[in-house]
Amino acid sequence: MLSPLLCLCRFRVYQSLRPKRTGLFAVKDGQQKKFSSSTSRIICVPHFKQDYLGSSAGFLQTLSNGKGFCIWSQARGLFGRGGGGSRPQQNLEDIARGIKEKEYKKVVVMVGAGISTPSGIPDFRSPGSGLYDNLQQYNLPYAEAIFEINYFHYNPQPFFTLAKELYPGNYQPNLTHYFVRLLYDKGQLLRLYTQNIDGLERIAGIPPSKLVEAHGTFATATCTVCRKEFPGEDLRPKIMAGAIPKCSTCKGVIKPDIVFFGEELPQQFLMYLTDFPVADLLIIMGTSLEVEPFASLAGAVRGSVPRLLINRDPVGPFAHSSLRHNDVAELGDVVSGVQKLVDSLGWTQELQALMAAESEKTSKDREE
Ligand SMILES: [Zn+2]
């Protein structure tokens, strides 16, 4: 697990949180490089001085004197551009006004498990109540094995038992999903980046073209042997019966297109390359921003773009002291935070009407 300490436009330095992987990491153009130094406090280097990184992590240690700081932002401060120190700190009302007055037309939203737990979906990572802690019945060698591709090839049953629980249809979207749906209805959603595999974004009516499902989806599936593709719905009867879905052509195991550990992210994820540079507002909701490469996207928007965090705790760039004047954090319960934003927007009734209509549609579908 790498924690992005500070992100610059092309070059990022990370500190590893895992005890066994101490040291600094730099990521450039998707390539990760580990430093031999065990320095733990350095957070930033000028993006144009790549040689510093290549030649000497010790140089950084000397410069920082054991305390992290950003050379590049200090330089910008010195030259009086982009520092932004004298500008007033923005708040939730400012963001709401910008959305309402359509100042923000290309909103990128990033979400994680924290927006699904209010729908009743267990969080994978919370100790005690988390899904990982409830996997003992499967006799897994270790909890994460359920999402490891090599283990899946060896024994797919635990994953499919879990899939039966998580399969789209068992849970309903909540206010956070429908808030994003409203952004879409109003033509202001550029893209929703989700780490969730519960499909609640689709159920809330956000079209797949507006979605980047960074950790995959149950909506489609692929044969692990002949790579034949299947609609996710084709697997539903088998999965719900507790069986392992097999390919009609080659009898291989069909795997829902969930991204396992050891698998590449979906091609769709590369959309961030064109989305983030043009985004005019970034909203981050219900995520610990701990899983890379998703986490560093928070630093991929332009410096002038406001970033709103609605989350239980400060995470990612919001957990550090170097907040931008246009960074806004609404901390505490995620649903309450989104509700507060919706109230500020004057969208409360509209959102209630949308949720009531969708809920009616769902119960009609169930009756049929
Ligand atoms: Zn096949």
Side-chain angles (χ1 to χ4, degrees):
M1 185 185 304
L2 298 179
S3 166
L5 294 180
L6 199 90
C7 300
L8 291 173
C9 57
R10 282 171 55 223
F11 226 127
R12 297 154 192 174
V13 179
Y14 298 91
Q15 178 188 32
S16 173
L17 294 180
R18 280 190 183 168
K20 285 182 187 167
R21 295 181 65 196
T22 54
L24 284 167
F25 294 79
V27 175
K28 180 171 172 279
D29 302 332
Q31 296 275 318
Q32 192 184 100
K33 180 181 177 181
K34 186 180 188 298
F35 290 108
S36 54
S37 165
S38 61
T39 312
S40 63
R41 298 281 295 173
I42 295 165
I43 59 175
C44 181
V45 291
H47 69 291
F48 54 88
K49 292 280 186 190
Q50 295 170 23
D51 287 347
Y52 290 168
L53 287 171
S55 61
S56 171
F59 169 78
L60 293 167
Q61 188 170 20
T62 311
L63 267 185
S64 71
N65 196 23
K67 289 177 183 170
F69 69 96
C70 170
I71 302 166
W72 177 232
S73 68
Q74 286 204 343
R76 281 196 295 178
L78 279 176
F79 295 112
R81 286 174 66 85
S86 59
R87 280 184 258 173
Q89 189 68 37
Q90 290 204 342
N91 59 32
L92 194 69
E93 297 290 325
D94 297 321
I95 302 279
R97 197 179 312 117
I99 297 174
K100 204 172 169 180
E101 293 174 1
K102 302 231 167 175
E103 184 189 327
Y104 308 131
K105 296 191 190 81
K106 292 177 180 166
V107 183
V108 168
V109 182
M110 291 169 64
V111 299
I115 74 156
S116 289
T117 41
S119 288
I121 292 174
D123 185 346
F124 289 10
R125 292 176 194 83
S126 300
S129 64
L131 208 47
Y132 280 162
D133 287 344
N134 298 325
L135 293 174
Q136 289 165 350
Q137 53 171 314
Y138 304 129
N139 292 323
L140 292 163
Y142 43 92
E144 289 90 343
I146 201 163
F147 287 119
E148 278 184 4
I149 193 63
N150 288 337
Y151 188 81
F152 179 84
H153 291 316
Y154 164 71
N155 179 15
Q157 188 64 59
F159 170 76
F160 281 111
T161 313
L162 179 70
K164 186 180 170 185
E165 168 68 18
L166 285 181
Y167 220 70
N170 290 353
Y171 297 94
Q172 295 309 315
N174 60 62
L175 184 135
T176 61
H177 301 96
Y178 285 113
F179 160 67
V180 186
R181 160 75 188 274
L182 262 192
L183 273 179
Y184 163 68
D185 286 350
K186 290 173 186 294
Q188 286 167 276
L189 178 69
L190 178 62
R191 208 87 56 197
L192 170 58
Y193 285 73
T194 181
Q195 292 170 285
N196 300 333
I197 56 171
D198 46 54
L200 294 183
E201 300 87 2
R202 290 181 188 230
I203 299 172
I206 300 159
S209 64
K210 287 286 175 186
L211 270 177
V212 170
E213 291 158 314
H215 296 167
T217 173
F218 281 105
T220 53
T222 308
C223 171
T224 52
V225 178
C226 74
R227 310 307 297 167
K228 186 175 174 184
E229 292 170 10
F230 297 86
E233 272 306 302
D234 287 10
L235 278 60
R236 179 186 289 275
K238 282 273 182 199
I239 290 178
M240 288 303 149
I244 293 172
K246 297 277 175 69
C247 175
S248 50
T249 307
C250 77
K251 305 293 175 212
V253 174
I254 308 172
K255 182 177 101 35
D257 292 339
I258 301 297
V259 179
F260 278 42
F261 297 118
E263 287 190 304
E264 285 183 16
L265 291 190
Q267 282 292 310
Q268 253 185 338
F269 188 77
L270 292 175
M271 287 170 113
Y272 83 88
L273 289 169
T274 47
D275 284 349
F276 279 72
V278 300
D280 48 24
L281 172 65
L282 176 65
I283 301 177
I284 304 164
M285 305 192 293
T287 169
S288 56
L289 285 184
E290 278 179 349
V291 181
E292 292 294 352
F294 193 89
S296 18
L297 291 184
V301 289
R302 290 166 293 145
S304 59
V305 170
R307 299 183 295 189
L308 168 62
L309 174 75
I310 303 177
N311 205 43
R312 182 161 296 283
D313 307 299
V315 291
F318 294 84
H320 313 300
S321 53
S322 52
L323 278 184
R324 301 172 181 169
H325 84 281
N326 48 8
D327 282 339
V328 177
E330 181 64 34
L331 303 179
D333 176 66
V334 176
V335 173
S336 308
V338 176
Q339 182 70 63
K340 199 169 156 189
L341 174 62
V342 168
D343 292 344
S344 302
L345 282 163
W347 291 1
T348 312
Q349 285 191 335
E350 200 175 341
L351 187 63
Q352 278 171 357
L354 173 66
M355 289 178 72
E358 290 293 322
S359 156
E360 200 176 321
K361 211 157 72 180
T362 308
S363 39
K364 260 189 189 166
D365 286 350
R366 281 191 176 162
E367 279 166 24
E368 281 168 16

